[in-house]
């Protein structure tokens, strides 16, 4: 929503041009443009960060729920190729079987690749239960509540580092927003409320007037920042998890269940094929 230039002038003679035509000073109009660009960038950053949290949470759930199934399929594929090689005694069959088995061998950093269902100590209980057909405890789903979203957006608007004009204030805001982002990623509504109270009680620095050159530089920086965020948003949207999440934004759990049903069917088919080869 914009305010007319006449209203922005407020009747002060210093805010009018010498010609008396009622137009705002160029500096004032530039300041308005900077403030509008800052708020637009903050809103965009909030949207990107919210989607990033959703993608991260969905990725964690995807790994917890489907990772062991993919691992089971790969193991069955390797065993099927090994059984075929044992029957045919063909060097080419043996080569394919060895390659499939090699792909399953542990490699440095595997715990990072399997984050969410395996760590340095081995498979998580949920993953072990899936592989042994035991009852599985549903993986924890972190999805910020509407109140958490509201608190996060309000804090991001008030404490965003881009609103700082001094290095010391920017550092303070960056440290605070890092804590806000971490609480939001955990969906911790109580912690977000505490952070809101902390910010309300903290120092409030007055916004210093900017020279025309600084305002132009600020607009340029805001433009570059928006381009960077656009690239980040595009990467999130085009990632495998982001694409899956956009297929069912209102019910991602159901999408995972549909994928799991398909994987279970594939596991059953592979197990039957392996049993026939070993019979």
């Amino acid at each position: 929503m914009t305010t007319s230039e006449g209203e922005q002038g407020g009747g002060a003679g210093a805010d009018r041009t010498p010609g008396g035509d009622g137009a705002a000073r160029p500096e004032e109009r530039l300041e308005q443009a900077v403030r509008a660009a800052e708020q637009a960038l903050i809103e965009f950053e909030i949207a990107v960060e919210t989607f990033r949290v959703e993608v991260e949470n969905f990725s964690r759930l995807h790994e917890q729920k489907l990772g062991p199934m993919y691992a089971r399929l790969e193991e069955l594929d390797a065993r099927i190729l090994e059984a075929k090689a044992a029957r045919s005694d063909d060097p080419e069959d043996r080569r394919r079987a060895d390659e499939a088995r090699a792909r399953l061998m542990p490699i440095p950093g595997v715990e990072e690749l399997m984050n969410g269902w395996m760590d340095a100590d081995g498979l998580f209980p949920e993953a072990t239960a899936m592989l042994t057909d035991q009852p599985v405890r549903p993986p924890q789903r972190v999805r910020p509540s509407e109140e958490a979203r509201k608190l996060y957006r309000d804090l991001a608007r008030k404490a965003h580092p881009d609103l700082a004009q001094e290095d010391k204030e920017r550092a303070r805001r960056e440290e605070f927003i890092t804590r806000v982002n971490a609480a939001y990623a955990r969906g911790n509504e109580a912690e977000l409320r505490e952070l809101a109270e902390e910010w309300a009680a903290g120092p409030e620095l007055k916004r210093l007037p900017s020279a025309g050159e600084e305002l132009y530089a600020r607009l340029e920086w805001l433009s570059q920042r928006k381009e960077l965020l656009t690239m980040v948003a595009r990467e999130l949207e085009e990632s495998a998890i982001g694409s899956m999440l956009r297929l069912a934004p209102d019910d991602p759990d159901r999408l995972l269940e549909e994928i799991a049903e398909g994987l279970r069917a594939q596991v059953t088919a592979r197990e039957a094929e392996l049993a026939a080869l070993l019979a």
Side-chain angles (χ1 to χ4, degrees):
M1 183 171 62
T2 60
T3 306
S4 69
E5 293 180 356
E7 292 173 339
Q8 289 291 337
D15 291 338
R16 307 292 183 179
T17 59
D21 58 2
R25 293 180 295 108
E27 291 82 0
E28 181 186 2
R29 294 163 65 183
L30 188 56
E31 288 170 0
Q32 293 172 6
V34 169
R35 286 196 295 271
E38 286 175 341
Q39 290 303 314
L41 181 64
I42 289 173
E43 291 296 325
F44 189 40
E45 287 202 47
I46 290 172
V48 172
E49 176 64 14
T50 296
F51 187 59
R52 187 197 65 77
V53 167
E54 283 294 312
V55 168
E56 184 177 286
N57 291 336
F58 188 69
S59 176
R60 184 181 301 113
L61 189 66
H62 178 274
E63 292 169 351
Q64 288 177 335
K65 188 163 187 171
L66 305 183
M69 295 187 184
Y70 286 120
R72 178 63 173 163
L73 280 172
E74 291 176 354
E75 172 64 25
L76 287 169
D77 285 340
R79 293 182 62 186
I80 288 170
L81 289 172
E82 289 168 345
K84 289 181 177 179
R87 280 195 169 195
S88 68
D89 202 24
D90 186 308
E92 183 62 23
D93 287 344
R94 172 52 56 189
R95 183 188 64 78
R96 285 196 292 265
D98 290 343
E99 288 180 353
R101 178 56 61 186
R103 286 194 293 268
L104 300 180
M105 296 296 289
I107 59 175
V110 70
E111 61 274 12
E112 291 185 17
L113 298 176
M114 300 180 177
N115 178 37
W117 61 279
M118 181 178 184
D119 59 15
D121 297 324
L123 291 173
F124 288 161
E126 295 89 344
T128 301
M130 282 182 166
L131 294 177
T132 55
D133 295 327
Q134 298 175 12
V136 180
R137 178 174 60 84
Q140 182 181 4
R141 179 64 184 274
V142 180
R143 182 180 290 173
S145 65
E146 287 302 318
E147 180 62 21
R149 290 170 182 264
K150 180 179 180 295
L151 288 166
Y152 171 74
R153 291 174 66 86
D154 186 54
L155 283 168
R157 291 191 187 99
K158 291 178 179 177
H160 200 283
D162 290 348
L163 297 178
Q165 291 292 313
E166 296 178 342
D167 291 341
K168 183 178 179 180
E169 173 65 2
R170 170 173 285 276
R172 182 178 82 93
R173 287 172 176 263
E174 287 176 346
E175 185 275 334
F176 184 80
I177 284 295
T178 297
R179 293 159 56 200
V180 170
N181 289 340
Y184 181 62
R186 293 191 295 270
N188 194 326
E189 188 176 316
E191 188 175 352
L192 287 170
R193 284 201 186 93
E194 292 176 0
L195 288 167
E197 293 174 0
E198 177 184 331
W199 182 260
E204 183 69 22
L205 300 184
K206 293 184 179 180
R207 187 178 181 84
L208 300 176
S210 301
E213 294 80 7
E214 292 177 329
L215 290 171
Y216 278 116
R218 181 68 170 165
L219 279 176
E220 180 65 21
W221 184 89
L222 290 168
S223 176
Q224 293 174 356
R225 178 66 177 168
K226 186 175 185 299
E227 290 180 7
L228 177 61
L229 282 172
T230 300
M231 292 176 60
V232 172
R234 186 180 300 115
E235 290 176 359
L236 285 170
E237 292 173 350
E238 294 177 354
S239 67
I241 295 298
S243 298
M244 290 175 61
L245 186 59
R246 288 191 296 127
L247 289 175
D250 297 327
D251 193 6
D253 297 319
R254 178 55 191 163
L255 176 61
L256 283 182
E257 185 54 38
E258 291 175 356
I259 297 173
E261 289 175 4
L263 291 176
R264 282 192 287 267
Q266 292 182 49
V267 168
T268 300
R270 298 289 206 289
E271 289 175 339
E273 182 180 357
L274 179 60
L277 288 169
L278 297 177

